Amino acid sequence: MSFRQFVINNVRRNPKVYGPYFFTTFFAVTMFFVYALLIFHPEFQDTIDSSSETLSYFAMIGFQISQVIIVLFSAFACFYAVSTFLKTRKAEFGLLLIQGINKKQLTKLIFWENMLAGLAAVICGILFGFIFSKVILLICSNILSLTETLPFYMPWKPILITFLIFGCMFLVISAVTSFSVRVNNLKQLLASQKQPKKEIKAAWYLAFLAVLFIGAGYGTVLIFTNRFDFSFKPLLIGVVLVVIGTYFFFSQLLVFVLNRLRKRERFFFKRTNLLTFSELIYQMRDNVSTFFIVAVVSATAITAMGTSSAVGSSGLAEMSQNPYAITYSAYGGKPVDQSLLDGAKKTFASENITDYKTASGKFYQITYYVNPDETSFYTFLSIDNYNDLMGLRNEKKLSVAPGSVILLPSSSPSADKLKKDLPKELAITFKSQKVTLPVKQAAPINRFPYNFTMSSMEDVTVVANQSDIDALWQKSEAQFRETPDDNSNYLLNYSLFHTENWEETIPASKKLHADVDKWNEKNMNSETGEFVNFQSLALEWQGMKQTNGLLMLLTVLCGAVFYTFSAGFIYLRLHSDLKRDDQQYKMLFKIGLTKPELHKIVARQLRVMFFLPLLVAIIHSIVAFIALQSLLEFNIWQNVGIVIGIFVGVQCIYYFLVKYNYLKQLHRVMK
């Protein structure tokens, strides 16, 4: 048998060693190829065809950053995997040295084994991505809400870049790991599986550091979200503190708790607890790094995917400032040009959109004196215009008595503020007199095509009778005739088109938007401020879907890679201990350990290994979601619950599969 055949047989006949290494790497290569497939697609060119140039730019940047993250994490994970299963083969290397292989040949053997497994994963990952590239492009087109499906193309650049990057990565990893194996002490190599493990020590003050760092990290993140002036520096500090605290949790606090349990004799000597917890304490020496890596990686994946799912939910649409299908807003005091409205009707007719309603009205910005040297203003809307807007969406109409007003919030903070502290009256001071208007009620929160956010009451519009608005307008105009520079009175006209099937107005909206741009080029007047603003709910919705689709692609694919590697870490940890466990349980079986007791001990230890890091990751993620919830105006917990449920479900399936195979292996030595 030649040396080449020996290398191939070593890899082919060790599926339990190289299998997880191959599949996790294969998955990472496939994800990297998907990103490259999108970046180099001819239809994308330098940007993604979206409703926003900014979104297009960040989409391309996001794909490129995700590629870098996958490569860096793949390099770390592969190096960790190779180092782990090389440690389990020290006895094998000792036998090879006894049989005559020299150190140079052993180094060469390790190098080509790693290269063979790595290159096989790269080739299979590229081949898999190429075969299913048409399906991948179709799925990505739907997720990104592109107007046309991405056509298939021959992805030479993605193939070449993927092969070169991962090929070089495996070349470096193979070279480093092959020279890192120490073969000087033959006796130590042969006895590597029989060497007893040292018990890891834990001091109470080091265990307390876990609680201190994690608590400080949580506090820093939560304080960050309650600040008005956001800075990512405290957020970064909080994350670093939590990561450090997580390491101390597994290396010190967990061991400290297990040692304390061992001292409770009634608990420790009860049935199989002695075997279970004694083994856990000694296993912690090898599993600290594994538990820490899996917890941090899983927390990253859950937080990223949960955030993407929450932001991508329908609740985000409710945050839109304008819920109407088409909105024309005419600035400069003049009504919306009739030619634009007639053009909209013709465009709707050409697109077979007939079930629409229309409404027109005005918003009034009325200035008053806060004190002799300071002015402010309120935004007014007539009750008739308000009810017309409500009628477009079949919502409840209101009435207001002459001389009184209704306060209309347009954001959740303003609505909450009015619920807690609704003013009894609205006082408007002019130079000659003071007008007091009783506040009848606060209307339900609603979004409107126009709102002055710098008003005395932020995100609040005042609804009143038209006669009262006209009277206030005249008084405000009269008082500022002598000092027109202080007059901030402003009049905005709007015209709306609304249909329940607004999602189908995307083609029409694009045409109407182009018509408004042409009109503004001819008629916009910078001196009078005259121009027309156009808004389309369908186009905003499309942009939102593309943003959410982009987030989903970036986070779900990266999260899937992270989770796959964390699952591989656990499997490698189990496999590295399998030979020692075989010998241990074989001896226990000879002195009376039954199969049910074996199942119970193994199940407990596997549950700790599989679900303790996941539990820590979920807790970290929940704190992050609490912080996120405080920044958003809609409930994210349903989406977050689904994501966490998926992670737990997949982990349960993986746990039962590994448990079955692990017990099957142990049963062979107990016969």
Side-chain angles (χ1 to χ4, degrees):
M1 181 171 60
S2 65
F3 185 81
R4 178 176 58 84
Q5 291 174 327
F6 184 60
V7 172
I8 295 173
N9 289 335
N10 261 0
V11 175
R12 184 171 58 86
R13 293 172 182 176
N14 283 282
K16 292 183 179 180
V17 173
Y18 285 103
Y21 177 66
F22 171 84
F23 283 109
T24 52
T25 306
F26 161 80
F27 194 75
V29 171
T30 303
M31 294 301 102
F32 182 91
F33 181 80
V34 169
Y35 285 125
L37 189 69
L38 294 174
I39 290 174
F40 291 100
H41 196 284
E43 294 293 323
F44 285 174
Q45 299 298 324
D46 294 328
T47 59
I48 292 179
D49 178 24
S50 71
S51 59
S52 167
E53 292 184 2
T54 303
L55 174 62
S56 301
Y57 174 76
F58 282 109
M60 302 304 296
I61 296 297
F63 286 140
Q64 293 167 1
I65 292 175
S66 297
Q67 284 186 308
V68 174
I69 292 173
I70 289 177
V71 171
L72 293 177
F73 192 78
S74 298
F76 165 75
C78 291
F79 183 80
Y80 178 85
V82 173
S83 301
T84 300
F85 65 68
L86 282 181
K87 291 179 182 178
T88 65
R89 300 178 63 194
K90 286 184 177 180
E92 177 186 338
F93 296 154
L95 291 174
L96 290 175
L97 290 172
I98 291 175
Q99 293 175 355
I101 192 172
N102 57 45
K103 295 178 182 179
K104 184 177 179 180
Q105 289 174 324
L106 181 60
T107 301
K108 185 179 178 182
L109 173 68
I110 297 171
F111 174 83
W112 284 112
E113 282 184 5
N114 291 332
M115 284 297 296
L116 180 61
L119 290 178
V122 173
I123 294 172
C124 291
I126 293 174
L127 187 62
F128 180 86
F130 176 74
I131 293 174
F132 291 95
S133 57
K134 179 61 180 177
V135 177
I136 292 170
L137 291 173
L138 179 62
I139 293 173
C140 291
S141 299
N142 292 330
I143 292 176
L144 292 173
S145 300
L146 301 180
T147 54
E148 297 181 2
T149 302
L150 296 171
F152 173 79
Y153 76 106
M154 182 58 71
W156 293 115
K157 286 185 178 179
I159 291 174
L160 182 61
I161 289 176
T162 304
F163 187 84
L164 287 177
I165 290 178
F166 277 89
C168 293
M169 184 186 79
F170 285 115
L171 182 65
V172 173
I173 292 175
S174 300
V176 171
T177 54
S178 60
F179 286 102
S180 64
V181 177
R182 297 180 180 179
V183 294
N184 295 325
N185 194 329
L186 181 59
K187 182 179 179 181
Q188 187 178 2
L189 287 176
L190 293 173
S192 60
Q193 295 293 330
K194 299 179 181 180
Q195 292 177 355
K197 295 184 178 181
K198 296 180 181 180
E199 179 181 354
I200 188 171
K201 301 294 183 180
W204 69 268
Y205 52 88
L206 293 177
F208 177 72
L209 284 179
V211 179
L212 180 64
F213 278 114
I214 293 177
Y218 287 172
T220 305
V221 171
L222 295 176
I223 290 173
F224 158 80
T225 59
N226 293 322
R227 292 166 56 95
F228 292 101
D229 183 19
F230 292 107
S231 172
F232 283 98
K233 185 177 180 180
L235 179 62
L236 179 61
I237 293 173
V239 172
V240 171
L241 288 174
V242 171
V243 171
I244 296 173
T246 303
Y247 181 80
F248 278 107
F249 172 82
F250 289 114
S251 64
Q252 299 295 327
L253 181 59
L254 188 59
V255 178
F256 179 78
V257 172
L258 290 174
N259 283 329
R260 297 291 295 180
L261 289 174
R262 187 168 62 175
K263 294 179 180 179
R264 298 179 59 181
E265 295 183 359
R266 292 185 60 184
F267 172 81
F268 189 68
F269 291 104
K270 184 178 179 181
R271 298 181 181 177
T272 58
N273 286 355
L274 185 148
L275 292 174
T276 302
F277 287 94
S278 295
E279 182 64 16
L280 279 176
I281 292 172
Y282 282 93
Q283 279 186 345
M284 288 308 301
R285 181 177 182 83
D286 294 328
N287 291 335
V288 165
S289 58
T290 302
F291 284 0
F292 168 70
I293 293 171
V294 171
V296 172
V297 169
S298 299
T300 304
I302 293 173
T303 304
M305 295 173 70
T307 302
S308 173
S309 174
V311 175
S313 69
S314 59
L316 186 62
E318 298 175 2
M319 297 177 65
S320 172
Q321 290 293 323
N322 187 357
Y324 302 101
I326 301 294
T327 301
Y328 292 93
S329 301
Y331 292 81
K334 294 182 180 180
V336 179
D337 192 276
Q338 189 62 40
S339 64
L340 293 175
L341 303 180
D342 293 338
K345 294 176 181 178
K346 291 180 181 179
T347 301
F348 283 154
S350 65
E351 296 290 338
N352 296 321
I353 301 174
T354 57
D355 58 338
Y356 62 86
K357 302 176 184 178
T358 62
S360 298
K362 300 176 182 178
F363 283 95
Y364 299 82
Q365 177 179 290
I366 299 179
T367 308
Y368 66 97
Y369 280 102
V370 178
N371 56 56
D373 299 321
E374 182 182 357
T375 62
S376 187
F377 56 85
Y378 288 115
T379 301
F380 281 83
L381 177 69
S382 74
I383 188 66
D384 294 332
N385 288 162
Y386 172 86
N387 288 330
D388 288 342
L389 291 171
M390 294 296 98
L392 292 181
R393 294 188 293 158
N394 300 318
E395 296 188 3
K396 184 179 179 180
K397 298 181 180 181
L398 299 175
S399 62
V400 59
S404 60
V405 297
I406 294 174
L407 301 184
L408 176 64
S410 59
S411 67
S412 295
S414 60
D416 294 339
K417 186 176 181 180
L418 291 179
K419 286 181 181 179
K420 295 178 181 178
D421 186 20
L422 180 67
K424 295 182 179 180
E425 59 184 29
L426 198 68
I428 303 178
T429 303
F430 301 109
K431 281 188 175 181
S432 57
Q433 68 180 109
K434 179 179 180 180
V435 179
T436 302
L437 301 172
V439 177
K440 178 183 177 182
Q441 68 182 82
I445 183 173
N446 219 307
R447 315 289 179 179
F448 283 91
Y450 180 72
N451 184 52
F452 290 102
T453 58
M454 294 181 64
S455 174
S456 295
M457 292 185 293
E458 187 173 353
D459 293 333
V460 174
T461 301
V462 182
V463 180
N465 283 284
Q466 186 64 51
S467 58
D468 295 327
I469 296 174
D470 291 339
L472 293 171
W473 181 270
Q474 292 173 5
K475 292 177 181 179
S476 181
E477 287 286 304
Q479 75 173 350
F480 288 111
R481 286 196 183 106
E482 298 179 0
T483 56
D485 292 340
D486 294 335
N487 188 0
S488 299
N489 288 348
Y490 198 83
L491 184 65
L492 179 132
N493 291 269
Y494 65 84
S495 294
L496 305 176
F497 294 83
H498 189 66
T499 173
E500 295 297 328
N501 300 317
W502 55 265
E503 298 95 338
E504 301 174 1
T505 64
I506 292 179
S509 297
K510 291 182 176 180
K511 295 178 182 178
L512 297 180
H513 197 184
D515 292 341
V516 171
D517 289 340
K518 292 179 182 178
W519 190 92
N520 282 328
E521 288 179 4
K522 295 180 180 179
N523 302 284
M524 187 169 61
N525 190 325
S526 58
E527 294 182 0
T528 61
E530 182 180 356
F531 75 98
V532 175
N533 183 54
F534 176 83
Q535 288 178 280
S536 167
L537 182 58
L539 292 180
E540 292 176 358
W541 172 69
Q542 183 189 41
M544 183 184 69
K545 282 181 39 176
Q546 289 178 337
T547 302
N548 298 335
L550 171 63
L551 286 172
M552 185 174 295
L553 277 177
L554 297 179
T555 57
V556 171
L557 294 181
C558 283
V561 171
F562 290 169
Y563 178 79
T564 303
F565 277 119
S566 67
F569 291 153
I570 294 175
Y571 182 90
L572 288 170
R573 185 72 267 157
L574 284 172
H575 183 269
S576 64
D577 292 336
L578 186 58
K579 291 183 178 180
R580 185 184 61 84
D581 291 344
D582 283 350
Q583 298 173 357
Q584 175 180 303
Y585 288 117
K586 187 175 182 179
M587 290 186 292
L588 290 173
F589 181 66
K590 290 180 179 179
I591 62 175
L593 182 70
T594 63
K595 287 187 178 181
E597 290 173 333
L598 171 67
H599 288 191
K600 188 175 182 179
I601 295 171
V602 170
R604 282 183 175 182
Q605 293 178 356
L606 290 181
R607 280 198 294 268
V608 170
M609 180 169 285
F610 275 82
F611 295 106
L612 180 61
L614 181 62
L615 177 62
V616 173
I618 291 174
I619 294 173
H620 290 346
S621 301
I622 288 176
V623 174
F625 292 133
I626 292 173
L628 177 64
Q629 179 66 83
S630 66
L631 299 176
L632 301 177
E633 297 181 13
F634 61 95
N635 194 319
I636 67 172
W637 293 108
Q638 181 178 357
N639 302 87
V640 168
I642 292 173
V643 171
I644 293 177
I646 291 173
F647 269 86
V648 174
V650 172
Q651 191 78 340
C652 287
I653 294 173
Y654 185 47
Y655 161 75
F656 285 113
L657 289 174
V658 172
K659 176 185 171 184
Y660 172 79
N661 290 322
Y662 193 72
L663 287 173
K664 185 179 179 181
Q665 177 68 21
L666 292 179
H667 285 165
R668 293 175 182 174
V669 302
M670 295 179 67
K671 291 181 180 180

